Amino acid sequence: MGVEVWVPATTANLGPGFDCLGAALDFGNRFRFALRGAGEPVEVVGADLPADNLAYRAFALVYERLGQPVPPVTLTLELEVPLARGLGSSATAIVAGVLAAHRLLGEPLPETELLNWAVALEGHPDNVVPAWRGGCCLVCGVHVCSIPWHPDILPVLAIPEFTLSTAAARAVLPEQVPYHDAVTNLGALGCLLQGLKRGDPALLRQGLQDRLHQPYRRRLIPGYDQVEQAALAAGAYGVVISGAGPTLLALAAPAQATAVATAMAQAWQEVGVQATARVTRVSDKGAQVKS
Ligand code: HSE
């Protein structure tokens, strides 16, 4: 008996939407949980991960909370989302584990309760929620708003070879921010939501500004300034850090997207960082569970 879950990659924050805005992308990770006999060890196939990996810990959490013994599994992984690059790989694991266990237990709980467990495990909602539901999501307390995304706005990812842990990228954030910076972000987030809906370049340019996390994190990403400049010169609306980084995300019109991707990868190479760039899409497809 088993269950398979596919979960999309996500890009969180999108500049000013720190810890509250994220979007599902058109590629993802597949996790197959096949139950093993009691007493057998957990087996992981397809990636070099320990038995107590995040997907299995999320899976176990649901069994434990429902008072059931946690069964061993063979966990088979097909991973397309690079690890520790700011593209929601940990959210894919958490969502997959929670949804797989819930399906195997006969789906006794309301979705919102499970989603809350998944968010609590991750610590912030802006990858987990769009990974689960698909599309672009704004999360505020218990509310999830689906944010319209104009089809002519393409996310362009420049993914460097080096990794950056979310913990390290959160450790550089200050306890407090200047009042003016907080106010700037409020306006930018409003502009961004309108810009995403209308596909309006001027609103997007203004709306992709952030003062809450990027000023502190950009120094953790060698080549940030060069890659940003290259993307803007190639016609991007703006460049932000994808999630906690180090991937950089540009938003661009379809006519410019390929040139923006090439320019970003080249700029990184010129400062000695190998990077791959890809043009993606925001996808309405959230996590898919198959028994
Ligand atoms: N909002 C989170 C952060 C996303 O920026 O730290 C990390 O996955």
Side-chain angles (χ1 to χ4, degrees):
M1 199 156 107
V3 60
E4 185 176 297
V5 189
W6 178 87
V7 189
T10 44
T11 184
N13 300 329
L14 293 154
F18 179 68
D19 272 3
C20 61
L21 185 65
L25 301 173
D26 60 358
F27 61 101
N29 288 340
R30 195 174 298 282
F31 303 78
R32 204 167 301 114
F33 294 78
L35 293 179
R36 306 195 79 190
E40 290 188 58
V42 172
E43 183 185 37
V44 181
V45 179
D48 186 18
L49 290 176
D52 69 340
N53 62 78
L54 191 52
Y56 188 66
R57 278 191 274 134
F59 178 86
L61 176 105
V62 177
Y63 276 82
E64 282 158 7
R65 296 244 168 118
L66 288 168
Q68 300 292 322
V70 182
V73 297
T74 297
L75 175 58
T76 306
L77 304 160
E78 287 169 36
L79 304 180
E80 269 194 78
V81 183
L83 289 173
R85 298 306 207 296
L87 291 167
S89 66
S90 61
T92 70
I94 292 170
V95 170
V98 167
L99 286 174
H102 194 233
R103 171 64 63 90
L104 289 166
L105 287 163
E107 304 194 324
L109 297 170
E111 191 210 30
T112 46
E113 187 166 354
L114 278 181
L115 184 53
N116 286 341
W117 291 357
V119 168
L121 206 52
E122 173 89 328
H124 42 84
D126 46 336
N127 293 106
V128 166
V129 173
W132 188 296
R133 296 263 177 95
C136 181
C137 301
L138 178 76
V139 189
C140 184
V142 296
H143 300 286
V144 176
C145 302
S146 184
I147 300 301
W149 187 290
H150 196 285
D152 284 349
I153 305 168
L154 297 184
V156 180
L157 303 174
I159 309 168
E161 62 186 346
F162 64 88
T163 60
L164 178 57
S165 79
T166 298
R170 291 182 89 83
V172 300
L173 302 180
E175 289 283 318
Q176 295 186 333
V177 295
Y179 200 81
H180 182 254
D181 286 354
V183 172
T184 302
N185 263 56
L186 291 176
L189 183 57
C191 272
L192 178 62
L193 299 184
Q194 285 300 314
L196 289 174
K197 180 175 172 183
R198 297 188 208 164
D200 180 315
L203 289 177
L204 289 168
R205 279 186 202 105
Q206 187 66 37
L208 288 167
Q209 308 299 320
D210 164 72
R211 299 273 185 87
L212 295 187
H213 67 110
Q214 297 190 165
Y216 310 100
R217 288 174 162 175
R218 55 196 298 164
R219 62 175 176 268
L220 302 177
I221 304 176
Y224 182 106
D225 292 345
Q226 292 88 335
V227 175
E228 180 186 48
Q229 281 314 311
L232 294 175
Y237 299 133
V239 176
V240 293
I241 300 173
S242 179
T247 292
L248 296 181
L249 165 76
L251 297 186
Q256 274 82 45
T258 305
V260 168
T262 308
M264 292 172 90
Q266 253 171 23
W268 239 328
Q269 263 142 29
E270 279 162 20
V271 296
V273 174
Q274 287 304 310
T276 54
R278 62 191 285 180
V279 179
T280 61
R281 283 194 174 272
V282 168
S283 165
D284 284 340
K285 194 163 127 184
Q288 312 283 310
V289 188
K290 230 172 38 184
S291 298

